[in-house]
Amino acid sequence: MKRSFTRNRIMRSLIIALPILVSLPALSYAQEEQQNDIEDKLERIEVTAQKRSQSIVDVPASISAFDGKRLEELGLSELDMISDLTPGLVIQEQSPNNPGFVIRGITSDSGSSQISPRVSIYYNGVDVSRSRGSYFELFDIERVEVVKGPQATLFGTAAAVGAISVITRKPDDFDNAELALGAGNLSQRRADGFINLAGDDLQGRLAFSYRERDGYIDNIAPEQDDMNGIERTGARLSLRYTPSDAVTADFIYSYEKNDDTGTSFKNGIYAPTGGDTSPYSFVEMTGSPYSEEALGAPKLGLDRTIDDFNLTVDWRLNDNTSFTSVTGYREFDSLEIFDADGTQAWFLEFAEDAQGEQWSQEVRFSHTLDNAFILWGANYFSEEGSQRVPFSTEESIYFNCVGALGTGLPCINEDGSVNLLTPVLTGGALNEIAYQGSYTNMGDNRSWSAFFDVSYDISDELTVSGGLRYIDESRESGFAALMPNSQLLTLLGQPTQPLLPTVSSDGEVLSDSGDDNALLPRLNVLYSLNDDTNWFVTASKGQRSFVVDVSSTLNEQGEVVADSSEIPAETIWNYETGIKGNWADAVNYSASVFYQDYSDFQVTLQDEAGNFYTDNAGDATNWGVETEFTAYLSSQLELFGHVAYLDAQIDDDANNGQLAGNRFRLQPEWTSSLGLMNDTMVSNGLMLRSSLVATYRSEIFFEPANAPIAGIPIKEDAVTLLNGSVGLYDEQAGWSLVLKGSNLLDKEYLVDAGNTGGSFGNPTFIAGPSRLVHLEFRQRFEW
């Protein structure tokens, strides 16, 4: 009953707004012209998920795609905005440094250098899935494809549950340029554009993007910015060289810089001075007094840089055979300083100083025969990374806030003052005892693989596809810690130890390594029921790489040694069937049902130090239904949407431990969207285009435990959001003026909860963005 009521509210919102944003199509359009325009739209959805250009209805898998025009029309400039319109996909963004990618209930968001991702993020044909380096701005994009289900044969082992592939625009063969400028509330400032220059055999394109806005959560702490503000710069140079009709070489260099303000981890127990514990009201968050000395940055926030180089060469050897080489190098350097307790107390001040670099090389051959397509090749991938986590606190505040002193005094008083207890505990000898420590995890991971995939047309109606990837992996993990013992415990004559339950290695790197290999198959059947409808069935196996988990411990002699364990590879079998096609020459649709079976399911947990680690939660199963459609009601009016249901949980079996029966984190049971787009000619060459999109997400849990912390629920109820745009477009003159808005109803909702503070009994909460509106002018130039 509650779900039906929510959907009814969505429909009422659309009906109320429809007269404002949608007018009747112009009657002057001839019926034949309208039908031709609709057919062009129906046929324009081409994807390359199977390493060749195909109509989306001919791909025997669940896939959603957005071309660059659609991204621009709907104002989808961030990856997480795409997930609102994609069945089976959830993207959570705490910050660009900490995105979470969820496909069909399975989350990939670990920043540890020792752990592999589950969801493969592809950028121009190269795997960039490492969490701290996988976020990027969406500007000057050709297409985004989201493929659900294991895709190891085509996308590698990181695509254990699916892949997100982003393809940027390549240089055009004519001179042109574009510039867009925008401004909005919260001091939004935007600019993006490109310039394209074409020669006989060399074309070049330089694209850029800049976005800046203030934070939407006020911070009353001195010398700190408001929280969740952004400043993001991107630039991309693309060169295309075509020395002959048979050879095309694309070189792409991408640069991104993020200077965002800190993430608002609002404490759910203690309020800021004069405030309350609501995640949506102001905060009083500060960094460590030693953050500038230790890290070179005095404020909370993110400083992140990415450099990406890509060289793709396509060589058509003859009419039937092509050779492709894809070379990629990517490095990232990020420093994020965050107040993990979310209060004015010098309690849990953390940072994350992460670096990584990766190099990959893939070569593949494709053969197009009369009734078959054959793909085979090999791939080499290597990455090195480290994640250093500095920690700072005042010792008496720390012990009091974790409830270890038994004084009966709160961590923070009702008037907002913090209880500094060092003078009381030491007889007034000291005012404060500063504590600083850090731990670092490291990873050096290498793999090579060989793959073979073939599609064979048994008849005009029936195509069978099969593939196999062999992968061989080696992983070396390292760990180091600098954790001094507590001075306060020594002064009090108690057994001393570090404040965090981490054994200090005095900076010495402890390491271990391991090797593994696997065969990952897939089998697909595509059957044409008629000229407009295809039915498909698929079975595929995916694998999340094994983990060599290394930390520090003491042996029986009291010596510091490596505490190493190998977490087995997580495997998944996906079974799926569905239909996709066109209906009445006006509707694109797809619908699928899937069942997934996991073995050795890996979960990311936090220890008492706030350090993330991987554990084996046993077996898990899920099943679900995904549907989406686009209906062209006329050449001017378009209706689109999706509905998806997912039943995903750890198997309720005693062998699966404390998480048995729990729902997967970050995964709602229901998601849906419903959108309208309308084009109305207001004069010769001038068009009014409007859009309205409602999205719905049911209840989610933010932690695998599915349980409250300190009596506070760590979950979010159902959320409905409304986005929209309205603008004038002059295609002949090449300009547009558009007003775009997100979260138009200014809905309060959570992005995350629990977090590092929850490991210390102080859960924190991150509010989602408030209403954002901006006006954008765009001009195209040709010469």
Side-chain angles (χ1 to χ4, degrees):
M1 181 65 69
K2 183 178 180 181
R3 291 173 183 148
S4 298
F5 175 71
T6 303
R7 286 185 180 79
N8 288 337
R9 286 193 301 171
I10 296 174
M11 292 303 300
R12 284 201 300 270
S13 298
L14 288 170
I15 292 170
I16 292 171
L18 188 59
I20 301 174
L21 293 180
V22 180
S23 60
L24 289 175
L27 297 177
S28 59
Y29 275 74
Q31 185 69 27
E32 183 177 351
E33 291 178 340
Q34 290 192 36
Q35 188 59 37
N36 290 338
D37 191 19
I38 292 173
E39 290 177 359
D40 289 342
K41 292 177 180 179
L42 286 170
E43 295 173 357
R44 78 181 185 184
I45 306 177
E46 296 282 326
V47 296
T48 55
Q50 297 195 114
K51 308 303 182 185
R52 54 178 166 145
S53 182
Q54 294 176 282
S55 171
I56 194 170
V57 299
D58 293 331
V59 178
S62 290
I63 179 171
S64 301
F66 303 84
D67 62 19
K69 183 179 179 181
R70 173 53 58 92
L71 297 177
E72 185 178 308
E73 288 172 344
L74 296 178
L76 303 178
S77 58
E78 300 184 58
L79 283 170
D80 61 330
M81 299 175 75
I82 289 177
S83 69
D84 293 336
L85 304 178
T86 305
L89 175 67
V90 175
I91 299 178
Q92 177 210 56
E93 185 197 328
Q94 283 190 7
S95 76
N97 195 48
N98 194 22
F101 298 93
V102 188
I103 290 184
R104 292 179 171 174
I106 309 303
T107 303
S108 182
D109 65 349
S110 175
S112 171
S113 300
Q114 301 177 5
I115 300 174
S116 287
R118 287 189 180 102
V119 176
S120 181
I121 313 301
Y122 262 63
Y123 185 68
N124 288 319
V126 174
D127 185 350
V128 297
S129 306
R130 174 58 57 195
S131 173
R132 299 305 181 253
S134 61
Y135 177 88
F136 44 86
E137 296 281 279
L138 294 180
F139 64 98
D140 205 35
I141 298 298
E142 177 183 318
R143 189 172 62 259
V144 177
E145 301 175 10
V146 181
V147 191
K148 279 90 75 173
Q151 302 296 329
T153 303
L154 300 172
F155 288 96
T157 188
V161 296
I164 301 171
S165 178
V166 178
I167 301 100
T168 63
R169 283 180 177 146
K170 306 305 186 292
D172 295 323
D173 57 4
F174 63 98
D175 296 338
N176 65 107
E178 189 172 277
L179 176 65
L181 299 174
N185 66 328
L186 291 178
S187 300
Q188 289 186 75
R189 291 170 291 277
R190 294 166 171 254
D192 68 80
F194 68 86
I195 182 169
N196 189 100
L197 300 176
D200 292 337
D201 54 11
L202 180 65
Q203 295 88 39
R205 189 181 187 96
L206 179 63
F208 75 95
S209 172
Y210 178 80
R211 295 195 302 135
E212 181 182 4
R213 65 162 167 77
D214 295 340
Y216 53 83
I217 299 294
D218 293 337
N219 188 2
I220 66 172
E223 300 182 5
Q224 295 290 336
D225 295 322
D226 291 337
M227 312 305 291
N228 303 313
I230 68 170
E231 184 178 356
R232 301 175 185 176
T233 304
R236 183 186 310 118
L237 173 65
S238 303
L239 299 175
R240 167 163 284 187
Y241 180 56
T242 52
S244 70
D245 292 339
V247 177
T248 300
D250 286 303
F251 170 79
I252 304 171
Y253 167 64
S254 300
Y255 168 84
E256 293 214 16
K257 174 74 169 177
N258 304 130
D259 290 300
D260 291 11
T261 64
T263 301
S264 178
F265 294 100
K266 182 70 175 288
N267 194 288
I269 299 176
Y270 300 108
T273 304
D276 55 39
T277 58
S278 167
Y280 314 106
S281 60
F282 68 84
V283 298
E284 190 174 6
M285 296 173 61
T286 61
S288 162
Y290 295 90
S291 60
E292 183 169 15
E293 172 188 341
L295 300 168
K299 290 185 177 182
L300 301 172
L302 171 65
D303 182 359
R304 173 178 174 267
T305 303
I306 289 181
D307 292 279
D308 185 282
F309 300 85
N310 180 289
L311 177 62
T312 300
V313 178
D314 287 306
W315 183 10
R316 192 174 68 255
L317 301 177
N318 54 51
D319 290 342
N320 298 323
T321 302
S322 295
F323 167 79
T324 301
S325 169
V326 184
T327 306
Y329 175 80
R330 187 177 181 90
E331 64 179 16
F332 69 89
D333 189 338
S334 68
L335 171 62
E336 185 167 19
I337 301 174
F338 57 99
D339 184 351
D341 60 89
T343 72
Q344 57 271 46
W346 185 7
F347 175 22
L348 301 174
E349 312 307 329
F350 281 92
E352 183 187 81
D353 187 9
Q355 292 86 36
E357 62 176 0
Q358 65 175 64
W359 182 83
S360 65
Q361 175 63 54
E362 178 167 301
V363 294
R364 60 178 184 262
F365 291 86
S366 61
H367 309 274
T368 303
L369 307 178
D370 290 339
N371 58 352
F373 179 81
I374 301 172
L375 178 76
W376 59 278
N379 177 279
Y380 177 78
F381 180 86
S382 69
E383 64 173 357
E384 293 184 30
S386 65
Q387 180 193 37
R388 184 173 72 95
V389 182
F391 165 69
S392 175
T393 190
E394 198 285 324
E395 291 199 21
S396 72
I397 294 176
Y398 173 85
F399 282 117
N400 190 43
C401 291
V402 298
L405 294 180
T407 62
L409 295 173
C411 175
I412 297 173
N413 298 313
E414 290 186 3
D415 63 1
S417 60
V418 180
N419 279 309
L420 179 70
L421 299 179
T422 306
V424 176
L425 297 172
T426 62
L430 295 172
N431 288 324
E432 66 178 28
I433 299 179
Y435 184 93
Q436 296 183 77
S438 68
Y439 54 86
T440 306
N441 63 71
M442 291 152 274
D444 185 353
N445 310 313
R446 303 173 188 272
S447 67
W448 73 269
S449 61
F451 55 91
F452 177 84
D453 198 85
V454 59
S455 296
Y456 183 75
D457 297 330
I458 295 177
S459 68
D460 291 340
E461 295 81 18
L462 181 62
T463 300
V464 177
S465 304
L468 186 68
R469 181 181 289 261
Y470 171 79
I471 184 166
D472 187 282
E473 296 182 285
S474 64
R475 308 181 69 83
E476 182 176 354
S477 298
F479 181 84
L482 282 168
M483 284 290 173
N485 287 330
S486 166
Q487 299 179 53
L488 181 58
L489 292 178
T490 301
L491 290 171
L492 296 176
Q494 298 183 19
T496 189
Q497 61 185 15
L499 292 194
L500 302 184
T502 301
V503 175
S504 179
S505 68
D506 292 328
E508 178 186 356
V509 177
L510 310 172
S511 63
D512 200 357
S513 60
D515 299 277
D516 193 20
N517 58 73
L519 282 172
L520 303 175
R522 77 162 185 154
L523 178 64
N524 299 316
V525 176
L526 183 72
Y527 184 76
S528 178
L529 299 175
N530 53 52
D531 290 341
D532 299 317
T533 307
N534 288 335
W535 167 77
F536 72 91
V537 61
T538 180
S540 57
K541 182 182 180 181
Q543 175 174 295
R544 188 189 197 188
S545 299
F546 72 105
V547 177
V548 179
D549 191 63
V550 178
S551 58
S552 55
T553 190
L554 296 174
N555 62 15
E556 295 180 354
Q557 291 74 39
E559 301 169 328
V560 179
V561 296
D563 182 9
S564 177
S565 61
E566 186 169 307
I567 310 299
E570 172 186 301
T571 59
I572 169 180
W573 274 98
N574 179 78
Y575 309 96
E576 185 169 358
T577 185
I579 58 173
K580 56 175 64 178
N582 302 323
W583 177 73
D585 291 329
V587 179
N588 274 323
Y589 68 90
S590 65
S592 64
V593 179
F594 61 88
Y595 175 81
Q596 296 180 325
D597 188 7
Y598 292 86
S599 298
D600 295 316
F601 185 73
Q602 298 173 5
V603 292
T604 301
L605 303 173
Q606 279 183 287
D607 59 24
E608 294 178 354
N611 192 21
F612 290 95
Y613 68 98
T614 301
D615 201 1
N616 191 325
D619 298 331
T621 56
N622 66 19
W623 70 273
V625 179
E626 295 172 355
T627 66
E628 62 181 325
F629 75 94
T630 301
Y632 300 99
L633 306 182
S634 73
S635 60
Q636 292 84 45
L637 184 60
E638 177 183 337
L639 179 70
F640 58 92
H642 85 273
V643 176
Y645 171 78
L646 180 65
D647 180 15
Q649 64 179 20
I650 308 295
D651 287 351
D652 193 4
D653 187 322
N655 295 327
N656 291 337
Q658 60 178 340
L659 300 179
N662 285 7
R663 284 246 310 272
F664 294 163
R665 64 182 293 265
L666 296 180
Q667 180 57 54
E669 283 189 302
W670 288 95
T671 62
S672 62
S673 66
L674 187 61
L676 288 162
M677 289 192 65
N678 182 72
D679 293 344
T680 301
M681 299 302 297
V682 295
S683 67
N684 186 26
L686 190 62
M687 178 180 64
L688 176 68
R689 174 175 292 157
S690 52
S691 69
L692 187 67
V693 181
T695 62
Y696 170 79
R697 183 195 72 193
S698 63
E699 177 190 70
I700 61 172
F701 290 97
F702 291 112
E703 298 289 352
N706 289 187
I709 299 176
I712 304 174
I714 309 300
K715 64 177 184 177
E716 173 65 289
D717 294 332
V719 174
T720 301
L721 300 178
L722 201 63
N723 305 325
S725 67
V726 59
L728 291 172
Y729 293 77
D730 190 324
E731 293 293 338
Q732 295 179 355
W735 64 265
S736 63
L737 181 65
V738 186
L739 182 66
K740 301 178 180 179
S742 60
N743 192 9
L744 294 176
L745 302 180
D746 206 19
K747 174 73 175 180
E748 293 182 342
Y749 67 101
L750 295 176
V751 172
D752 209 347
N755 305 301
T756 301
S759 301
F760 297 83
N762 278 256
T764 59
F765 300 82
I766 304 173
S770 58
R771 177 169 48 231
L772 294 171
V773 179
H774 75 276
L775 183 65
E776 176 185 276
F777 176 78
R778 185 176 298 271
Q779 177 68 61
R780 187 178 70 248
F781 306 91
E782 296 180 7
W783 61 91

